[in-house]
Amino acid sequence: MVSTASAKNGTWRNWGGNVAARPAREVEPASVEELSQAIRRAAEDGLKVKAVGSGHSFTSIAATDGVLIRPQLLTGIRRVDREAMTVTVEAGTPLKRLNMALAREGLSLANMGDIMEQTVSGATSTGTHGTGRESGSIAAQIKGLELVTADGSVLTCSATENPEVFAAARIGLGALGVVTAITFAVEPVFLLQAREEPMPFDRVLAEFDELWAENEHFEFYWFPHTGNTNTKRNNRSAGPEQPVSRLKGWFEDEFLSNCVFQAAQWAGRAVPATIPAIARISSTALSARTYTDIPYKVFTSPRRVRFVEMEYAVPRAAVVETLRELKAMVDASGMRISFPVEVRTAPADDITLSTASGRDSAYVAVHMAKGTPYQRYFTAAERIFTAHEGRPHWGKVHTRDAEYFAKVYPRFGEFIALRDRLDPDRLFQNDYLRRVLGT
């Protein structure tokens, strides 16, 4: 699952296939010094600069007709500090590689999202998150950052060094500079017990507060056109380790969740009228299971069916009403929705443009299969989300602009002022940033 750029015509496309760009040139710096030179040269040539990771954003946040920075050579762990319990990693390192390297060192991140194909800088810059009662997004686990700013200089920041930059750059949208290294808080590797089971939609909503309060990590998937959900509760365990068997894991996580699900998507596209029946079958295909393993093997799972996604963070107290409205909308619309709706939570954090900035949040994500018309569904869903002062994921489809963000982010002005200082000539500007941050 990596981004693709055609060698024939120089077109870059994202993973979801809904964004394409033709940069004037691409650069793969092998060092921070080479990156600084590339940024200075772009400024001299009057070209904008954007860095791109694995292309997992569904917005055009990384698209440019200027210089596209690919960080594939800026990978690997720079330093493990067991006294401070931190790890410093190059910006282009895929999360998968980081997770596996940490496990070999007997270490782990506290929380993570459900896929790990993204680069660490791409994931944090857009606010990628998992689910957690007390533990937040990947960016909330950052202890230090290194980035190259518009004049080519290297800037380091932390809670004590350039703290105003640190507050914003952990989720910087690529607007403040090109991130070159990230220092994460880590802890000794631990075990998680995952309990997955079907549960009626109405019961999940009625008991949502208890399910959230009683579990360190709670999430669920609702299948539109049904009253069914699949729930997942992850909690720390003293062991013993009881991983999913290889055969069972292949059957449930690869065959059912990817191969059969892909076939269901194809069938639904060919004959939309079959989607409700397929949804009823899909929602009961996975049986309840409990297993115990190290974190990244519990938090993450393979996602081979390509899709396009919109996700909004609403105040956690508003999520039940939001979901009721979403279900009523789908039921009344006549639309055929073949992808489940994903619901997760995060505690409030102190990152300027984090979707959880200053408020406990719940995330509601709607998806459509790649190539399927999604605008009508996403537009109707977005109307519900914004009525609850929702904040869209920076890397997922939305139509909001700077005027809207100034209302739902109390510290929006702080970010803009910092951007004016670090990138006054808008070297890192593109159409997406022009829309979400203003001119």
Side-chain angles (χ1 to χ4, degrees):
M1 281 200 242
V2 295
S3 59
T4 56
S6 168
K8 292 181 180 178
N9 60 15
T11 300
W12 171 84
R13 297 183 189 280
N14 69 334
W15 181 82
N18 65 315
V19 177
R22 296 196 65 181
R25 64 175 178 254
E26 296 185 18
V27 179
E28 289 189 15
S31 66
V32 175
E33 293 73 25
E34 285 186 17
L35 174 60
S36 295
Q37 291 169 9
I39 287 174
R40 290 191 189 99
R41 185 183 163 206
E44 291 166 2
D45 294 344
L47 295 172
K48 303 296 186 184
V49 176
K50 295 309 299 178
V52 64
S54 60
H56 263 270
S57 289
F58 302 99
T59 61
S60 55
I61 191 167
T64 186
D65 58 3
V67 176
L68 191 69
I69 304 291
R70 290 180 171 274
Q72 281 91 328
L73 301 180
L74 297 174
T75 62
I77 291 179
R78 280 191 190 178
R79 183 173 61 258
V80 175
D81 186 335
R82 291 184 180 275
E83 189 174 330
M85 288 304 284
T86 61
V87 60
T88 301
V89 61
E90 301 276 352
T93 307
L95 285 167
K96 183 175 185 177
R97 184 172 166 188
L98 172 62
N99 287 332
M100 294 173 74
L102 287 175
R104 286 195 299 270
E105 296 280 345
L107 301 169
S108 177
L109 296 173
N111 199 0
M112 57 196 78
D114 59 1
I115 58 173
M116 53 179 180
E117 310 302 327
Q118 312 101 310
T119 61
V120 294
S121 56
T124 54
S125 294
T126 56
T128 295
H129 62 89
T131 189
R133 186 184 58 206
E134 281 111 18
S135 55
S137 68
I138 303 175
Q141 299 168 68
I142 293 176
K143 293 296 182 183
L145 272 178
E146 176 187 275
L147 66 160
V148 177
T149 57
D151 62 1
S153 61
V154 179
L155 178 69
T156 57
C157 60
S158 67
T160 55
E161 182 182 11
N162 296 307
E164 76 290 351
V165 178
F166 184 65
R170 282 173 285 170
I171 299 179
L173 317 185
L176 305 177
V178 177
V179 175
T180 49
I182 301 174
T183 299
F184 291 103
V186 293
E187 57 183 291
V189 72
F190 53 93
L191 292 175
L192 281 174
Q193 182 184 73
R195 180 180 169 193
E196 300 174 3
E197 65 175 328
M199 193 177 289
F201 180 78
D202 290 339
R203 180 185 163 193
V204 173
L205 296 198
E207 299 178 9
F208 182 82
D209 287 342
E210 294 95 310
L211 289 164
W212 169 82
E214 292 169 2
N215 295 282
E216 292 173 74
H217 309 275
F218 174 69
E219 63 185 298
F220 69 94
Y221 290 88
W222 165 58
F223 293 79
H225 314 298
T226 80
N228 304 328
T229 78
N230 278 340
T231 64
K232 185 173 183 179
R233 288 170 266 191
N234 297 333
N235 291 286
R236 296 196 183 211
S237 169
E241 197 170 321
Q242 292 179 313
V244 178
S245 72
R246 183 165 294 191
L247 178 61
K248 189 176 176 68
W250 173 84
F251 181 73
E252 294 182 340
D253 298 326
E254 280 291 352
F255 182 69
L256 289 180
S257 297
N258 283 298
C259 301
V260 173
F261 187 59
Q262 179 69 79
Q265 297 303 309
W266 288 334
R269 279 189 71 183
V271 188
T274 64
I275 286 175
I278 290 172
R280 286 191 292 273
I281 295 168
S282 298
S283 66
T284 57
L286 293 172
S287 57
R289 65 177 182 175
T290 301
Y291 56 96
T292 304
D293 214 328
I294 61 174
Y296 84 85
K297 294 183 180 181
V298 174
F299 284 131
T300 70
S301 41
R303 291 280 184 267
R304 310 202 196 286
V305 180
R306 300 210 176 199
F307 54 82
V308 178
E309 179 179 1
M310 168 183 281
E311 180 184 72
Y312 267 74
V314 298
R316 200 187 70 237
V319 69
V320 169
E321 181 58 30
T322 300
L323 289 166
R324 287 201 178 105
E325 292 172 12
L326 186 66
K327 186 176 188 300
M329 179 273 290
V330 170
D331 290 347
S333 69
M335 289 186 282
R336 294 290 178 255
I337 311 303
S338 62
F339 243 89
V341 173
E342 183 179 25
V343 182
R344 295 175 287 177
T345 67
D349 63 41
D350 62 350
I351 304 171
T352 313
L353 292 188
S354 166
T355 45
S357 183
R359 73 184 190 192
D360 291 343
S361 299
Y363 296 92
V364 182
V366 297
H367 312 69
M368 289 290 269
K370 178 182 175 182
T372 305
Y374 60 82
Q375 284 82 359
R376 183 184 169 207
Y377 176 37
F378 284 14
T379 298
E382 190 172 41
R383 195 173 296 124
I384 294 167
F385 299 149
T386 54
H388 292 282
E389 297 189 341
R391 297 167 177 170
H393 189 299
W394 296 107
K396 297 176 185 178
V397 175
H398 68 89
T399 66
R400 301 298 89 191
D401 60 15
E403 183 180 2
Y404 179 84
F405 290 124
K407 295 175 185 174
V408 297
Y409 282 102
R411 299 169 64 191
F412 188 76
E414 278 181 47
F415 191 95
I416 301 305
L418 181 64
R419 184 187 185 213
D420 287 341
R421 176 159 71 86
L422 294 181
D423 186 18
D425 298 324
R426 300 293 188 260
L427 182 69
F428 303 115
Q429 177 85 283
N430 65 359
D431 289 342
Y432 178 78
L433 294 185
R434 192 175 290 111
R435 170 163 68 89
V436 302
L437 298 180
T439 51

